[in-house]
Amino acid sequence: MKKFGLDTELVHAGEIHINGAVTMPIFQSVTYLFEDAEDYDQVRYSRLNNTENHIALHEKIATLEGSEAALVTASGMAAISVSMLACLKSGDHVLMQDGLYGGTYHLATNLLANLGVEVTFINGDAPDSWEAARKPTTRMIYLESISNPLIEVADLEAGVAFARTHDLLSVIDNTFASPANFRPIELGFDLVLHSATKYLNGHSDVAAGVIAGSEELINRILPVLNIVGATLDPHACFLLQRGLKTLGLRIRKQNETAMQLAAFLSNHPKVKHVRYPGLPNHPNHSRATDLFDGFSGMLSFEPKSGIDSGKLCKSLRFAKEAPSLGGIETLITRPAFTSHAAVPGAERARLGISDEMIRVSVGIEDAVDLINDFDRALNA
Ligand SMILES: *Cc1c(COP(=O)(O)O)cnc(C)c1O
């Protein structure tokens, strides 16, 4: 649990000063001496996620998310897959938000379906419609704190209330908000998942995932993680631990710059529409204001017709066209041709994902340079 401010905890929580080292060293050893271990549970082995590098990170992440316990995994998809495997069995039914991250959607509709787990997709913004989708076998409700690429905020409070009323496990992918902007455990979520590849590490140089929840849940998930073997390698642990220390600084800057860029784009004569929860015209603006400490570094926009978004992306100097998000460099994607290319055109249109839509993950560059970059490209 967090006792001090976020930035203080980011630097100090979980740190172990081995041999007086101020910074956590990398324990590049897969196995450890038996010493006084009496049974297999006490064996220390990298895949069992119990080396010093893992322990320090688990403590830091639990502190940030305000959970009793936490785990790190080899990727965000590892965190999601392992949690599902541990918490669901054949015959169970899950309610999942529409428009999920593509990997999660694939997991739900292919792998879970093959294991006999049934999924129904729900509109995260229409809690009145959820009861009709619920079944006697429903065990879990699964939401994302901010959706991609529409940057919408589901009715997260209703999600927690619905789970409590019907005794469901409430699970949230908090990747887009990060604990610097939103801590779902405080709202009452049972399990928080992250692609730490994104904001938590923040430098686009590590693939990692996070699972945070109660001691009891984490103790149920850990043996599955140990068997699946999706362990985070010690060097990646070190990089994630280093990246985490600046999370607060990065996120505050990214929140601020995204707000400025969103406001600039929404007033630009060549821009049709901007989606950013910090803008008063965003449909979930008041909900995001109530729930979040910041509106994130993620926004999407559509240029006016006649502007080719492909050419626009290529003519930007600082914003690089590449998948992923949450790093210190500004990245852009065109969802209709990348993350959502597999979604049929009619379905994309229904969701509001036009071919011209550009998603922006705002980095830590100077806001003025980013704004000038977009202005120049739009006017070119
Ligand atoms: C990237 C992402 C994931 C998957 O994470 P990986 O680290 O790439 O496995 C899951 N959920 C969301 C919201 C993401 O953006």
Side-chain angles (χ1 to χ4, degrees), residues 74-80 100-104 142 144 146 148 173-176 193-198 206-209 324-325 359:
S75 69
M77 280 319 300
I80 297 167
L100 287 173
Y101 176 74
T104 312
Y142 186 103
E144 291 181 349
I146 301 176
N148 177 38
D173 180 334
N174 195 32
T175 300
F176 271 47
L193 308 174
H194 278 277
S195 168
T197 312
K198 317 291 169 56
V206 170
S324 200
L325 61 110
R359 185 193 78 180

Side-chain angles (χ1 to χ4, degrees), residues 63-77:
T63 305
L64 304 180
E65 284 290 357
S67 62
E68 286 175 7
L71 296 169
V72 285
T73 62
S75 69
M77 280 319 300

Side-chain angles (χ1 to χ4, degrees), residues 2-13 63-64 252:
K2 205 155 90 235
K3 292 195 211 79
F4 303 100
L6 177 83
D7 289 330
T8 307
E9 296 287 18
L10 282 165
V11 174
H12 294 288
T63 305
L64 304 180
R252 278 197 297 281

Side-chain angles (χ1 to χ4, degrees), residues 120-171:
T120 302
F121 291 98
I122 53 172
N123 178 344
D125 202 28
D128 291 347
S129 67
W130 299 348
E131 180 56 22
R134 192 174 66 87
K135 302 183 179 201
T137 51
T138 308
R139 296 284 173 262
M140 178 189 288
I141 181 165
Y142 186 103
L143 303 171
E144 291 181 349
S145 50
I146 301 176
S147 77
N148 177 38
L150 296 170
I151 325 291
E152 286 171 343
V153 184
D155 196 337
L156 305 177
E157 275 179 296
V160 169
F162 190 81
R164 288 198 172 150
T165 305
H166 301 293
D167 201 21
L168 314 178
L169 197 67
S170 51
V171 182

